[in-house]
Amino acid sequence: EVQLVESGGGLVQPGGSLRLSCAASGFTFSSYWMHWVRQAPGQGLVWVSRIHDDGRNIRYADSVKGRFTVSRDDAKNTLYLQMNSLRVEDTAVYYCVREGASCGGDCHFDSWGQGTLVTVSS
Amino acid sequence: DIVMTQSPDSLAVSLGERATINCKSSQSVLYRSNNKNYLSWYQQKPGQPPKVLIYWASTRESGVPDRFSGSGSGTDFTLTISSLQAEDVAVYYCHQYLTTPRTFGQGTKVEIK
């Protein structure tokens, strides 16, 4: 069974930093493109970042570019999101998401973690 | 960026009746090389993460009840719940995966009338 378990969320002051982790199990983590998607309280889904299986093809939403860094450790089956210079508007549940691998390229999101809440407030 | 716009924002449907949600993209999500629409639908119940229902605009994910169906091509898509059940109360999102940044519709809340 595919499992994605996020951790590392919490309360942080504006300008602070947090590192989110996503522990993956039940599949060959190193073969999959992975994403972070966030959802502000009561709001919709917003894509944040993507990292390919090679760890080198990386993209970010404009709203987080230069402040967030995505990485992966395939030996530990773990995805990370380093978040610096946090703003109030970064407050959200952050989901770790697996992109399907059966599409021969870009694919839908086939598995989601339960999410971890990040609250940026003074 | 491709903007995804859903309509309506919310709808209330009687149990057993049909629910229809529309999604329009600002650019075509049909990739001519393989004739596939890079459009998926997700269901999110309160307090839960989203779950994929439909991909390639009309392919039902394994385990999804056949009362859920997707249709459309290019820029206009529809998610239909043929006979609404109580467990279908949720917010539904369309999503394009043709280009990065990946984008979602704003969501449609489905309730029981």
Side-chain angles (χ1 to χ4, degrees):
Chain A
E1 180 197 1
V2 173
Q3 282 205 314
L4 299 168
V5 180
E6 302 93 337
S7 60
L11 175 64
V12 62
Q13 292 189 336
S17 298
L18 274 179
R19 187 174 85 153
L20 307 184
S21 300
C22 169
S25 61
F27 65 101
T28 305
F29 177 72
S30 59
S31 297
Y32 285 81
W33 299 0
M34 299 296 297
H35 299 251
W36 289 98
V37 173
R38 69 184 181 184
Q39 186 171 37
Q43 302 301 308
L45 302 168
V46 177
W47 175 81
V48 173
S49 182
R50 177 207 73 200
I51 184 167
H52 276 189
D53 53 348
D54 63 8
R56 282 175 282 179
N57 193 324
I58 290 172
R59 295 285 301 274
Y60 298 98
D62 286 345
S63 59
V64 307
K65 203 173 294 182
R67 300 187 299 123
F68 290 12
T69 302
V70 65
S71 62
R72 62 192 297 160
D73 185 336
D74 289 347
K76 295 183 178 180
N77 291 336
T78 302
L79 177 72
Y80 301 101
L81 187 66
Q82 177 67 44
M83 305 186 296
N84 298 332
S85 303
L86 282 161
R87 305 168 179 167
V88 171
E89 55 265 34
D90 294 319
T91 295
V93 173
Y94 284 74
Y95 292 105
C96 170
V97 184
R98 188 182 83 167
E99 179 166 335
S102 60
C103 302
D106 292 283
C107 204
H108 59 284
F109 297 150
D110 68 357
S111 296
W112 298 63
Q114 289 294 317
T116 186
L117 176 62
V118 172
T119 303
V120 185
S121 174
S122 54
Chain B
D1 299 1
I2 298 178
V3 177
M4 309 298 289
T5 305
Q6 292 179 227
S7 62
D9 289 333
S10 65
L11 74 160
V13 176
S14 300
L15 288 172
E17 296 300 304
R18 179 184 300 261
T20 301
I21 300 168
N22 300 301
C23 174
K24 189 173 185 68
S25 58
S26 62
Q27 304 169 40
S28 176
V29 297
L30 173 65
Y31 189 45
R32 298 261 178 222
S33 295
N34 59 13
N35 201 36
K36 289 188 173 184
N37 288 282
Y38 284 59
L39 189 286
S40 55
W41 289 95
Y42 298 85
Q43 175 194 63
Q44 187 177 32
K45 296 181 179 180
Q48 295 184 20
K51 166 192 162 184
V52 62
L53 298 175
I54 302 283
Y55 56 95
W56 297 136
S58 61
T59 301
R60 200 178 302 113
E61 176 77 334
S62 175
V64 173
D66 60 7
R67 63 180 180 273
F68 291 92
S69 63
S71 63
S73 184
T75 61
D76 292 278
F77 301 90
T78 300
L79 175 70
T80 301
I81 309 172
S82 61
S83 175
L84 191 74
Q85 305 299 304
E87 60 265 33
D88 301 335
V89 168
V91 178
Y92 294 83
Y93 296 92
C94 61
H95 162 242
Q96 68 79 20
Y97 49 99
L98 179 65
T99 66
T100 299
R102 304 292 182 85
T103 47
F104 295 87
Q106 79 276 18
T108 296
K109 187 174 185 178
V110 174
E111 299 173 307
I112 305 295
K113 185 187 291 183

